[in-house]
Amino acid sequence: MFLRYQPIVELAGATVVGAEALVRWRHPERGVVAPGDFVPLAENTGQIATIGRWVLEEACRQAAVWEARGHHLGVAVNVSAYQLGREGFVEDVRGALRASGLTPSALTLEITETALTRDVAAASGRLRAVRELGVRIAIDDFGTGFSSLAYLRQFAPDALKIDRSFIAGLTTSKDSAAIVHTLVALGRTLHIKTLAEGIETPEQLEALRCERCEWGQGFLFAEPLTAEELERQASAPTCSGSVSDASSSVSTGGR
């Protein structure tokens, strides 16, 4: 297993402010395997707990390195429903922070709506505990699951990630544009940051800027990068708004 880092960009200034940690598996025969091909199996067998703990520890370790070098880069880590349902989840987060020395507010846990709703009471309690550590919470793929305003009040996330399916139709579909407008306005009203996933064209970027969406990520800025490539891109004065040279040799893939 190894990690790649998808830059998270502040859209107004086009500067890199963080990264989402994405796990990959280097298979001896198949080469690099995307998580969509192995995470479901890992969840079914329970191995996702071990993988998820390693991803969390490695992402925190790398973010602490960036922090020590003077880069104010947060790191976001995906958390599966299986991980969130474990009794030891909060201790895993606490242990990763302690071992790395990372400032807790530099860590964001990304959790899908589906994971949150499997056991609302347990999820709420565990997320409350990690928030008390200073860690931030983002609801991933917002608008694609069983969206409920009551959940926003109960889980009090720091950020909403607008699913890439809505961004893909942002400039071509009135329905997608209306959904994005509503989600960004909702976040602004509730003082929750919004992050658009899957930005691929300058037109999408401009539309999101007009909506005043705060953050974004996608191949327009960069494909998933190594830690060193991410640090170099973050050190640049501004993000160019197109796929960077540093990412040109990195194979594509989702989370």
Side-chain angles (χ1 to χ4, degrees):
M1 298 290 173
F2 64 99
L3 296 184
R4 288 290 182 261
Y5 298 90
Q6 179 87 55
I8 296 173
V9 176
E10 183 182 27
L11 298 185
T15 55
V16 177
V17 295
E20 178 182 1
L22 303 171
V23 64
R24 300 288 186 266
W25 175 21
R26 186 175 287 107
H27 190 280
E29 296 177 357
R30 296 175 59 185
V32 176
V33 181
D37 293 330
F38 68 85
V39 166
L41 176 62
E43 290 179 331
N44 290 336
T45 61
Q47 294 182 63
I48 193 64
T50 302
I51 295 173
R53 189 183 306 113
W54 177 82
V55 170
L56 181 62
E57 292 172 351
E58 177 63 16
C60 286
R61 183 200 65 77
Q62 181 57 61
V65 171
W66 291 329
E67 193 172 70
R69 292 174 178 170
H71 300 293
H72 300 291
L73 297 171
V75 66
V77 176
N78 295 290
V79 174
S80 70
Y82 186 96
Q83 289 175 269
L84 186 60
R86 289 181 61 251
E87 290 290 341
F89 172 69
V90 177
E91 187 53 43
D92 287 346
V93 176
R94 182 182 291 109
L97 291 171
R98 185 187 303 120
S100 65
L102 180 66
T103 301
S105 61
L107 173 64
T108 297
L109 301 180
E110 295 188 359
I111 305 169
T112 64
E113 291 177 278
T114 303
L116 291 173
T117 55
R118 285 195 178 183
D119 187 340
V120 174
S124 180
R126 291 187 179 113
L127 293 185
R128 190 180 308 113
V130 296
R131 285 179 64 90
E132 289 174 355
L133 297 175
V135 174
R136 300 177 185 273
I137 303 297
I139 298 182
D140 200 4
D141 300 338
F142 190 74
T144 61
F146 299 100
S147 302
S148 170
L149 297 183
Y151 292 148
L152 294 184
R153 181 181 60 196
Q154 184 166 359
F155 295 114
D158 299 281
L160 300 178
K161 297 194 71 175
I162 303 173
D163 188 69
R164 65 183 62 246
S165 61
F166 301 130
I167 305 305
L170 179 59
T171 59
T172 58
S173 165
K174 291 183 178 180
D175 289 343
S176 291
I179 290 172
V180 171
H181 172 81
T182 300
L183 293 179
V184 174
L186 176 64
R188 191 160 52 245
T189 300
L190 298 177
H191 306 290
I192 300 172
K193 298 287 188 181
T194 48
L195 188 157
E197 296 183 285
I199 303 173
E200 297 187 353
T201 70
E203 292 78 15
Q204 291 169 351
L205 173 59
E206 184 58 31
L208 288 164
R209 283 173 169 165
C210 289
E211 293 290 353
R212 291 190 290 163
C213 179
E214 288 95 347
W215 299 327
Q217 58 188 120
F219 290 166
L220 178 66
F221 305 112
E223 299 177 5
L225 307 173
T226 67
E228 294 75 17
E229 289 167 343
L230 188 284
E231 186 173 349
R232 286 199 298 271
Q233 183 161 346
S235 299
T238 60
C239 187
S240 65
S242 60
V243 177
S244 67
D245 293 337
S247 67
S248 61
S249 63
V250 181
S251 56
T252 61
R255 87 172 45 155

